Amino acid sequence: MEKTAYIILGIVAIGWALAVLFGLVVAFPFGLIGLAVIIAIGLLFIRVLLDRIGSAEDDYYDKNVDL
């Protein structure tokens, strides 16, 4: 049941993102500003994920430190 909900949410999120991207392209030239912002945020998000995945220090604290 939970997997089905995640699949549906994923499909809706991808559809929404595509609609936003196509809408920004249609709103040329002002849409290019929004497109650049979305790309920049996406690149920063990927950078944060890669930093978090590769950090041994964060893994240590996740496993050994109780809050």
Side-chain angles (χ1 to χ4, degrees):
M1 182 77 94
E2 185 177 353
K3 261 188 178 177
T4 306
Y6 284 130
I7 291 171
I8 293 170
L9 285 174
I11 291 169
V12 170
I14 290 170
W16 177 81
L18 289 174
V20 167
L21 290 176
F22 288 134
L24 288 173
V25 171
V26 169
F28 183 82
F30 299 108
L32 294 179
I33 297 169
L35 189 59
V37 170
I38 289 173
I39 290 171
I41 290 172
L43 290 173
L44 290 173
F45 181 71
I46 290 169
R47 172 67 184 194
V48 168
L49 282 178
L50 292 176
D51 284 347
R52 173 58 187 96
I53 289 171
S55 174
E57 184 178 358
D58 286 343
D59 291 338
Y60 173 80
Y61 283 110
D62 283 343
K63 293 176 184 173
N64 297 317
V65 176
D66 293 326
L67 296 177

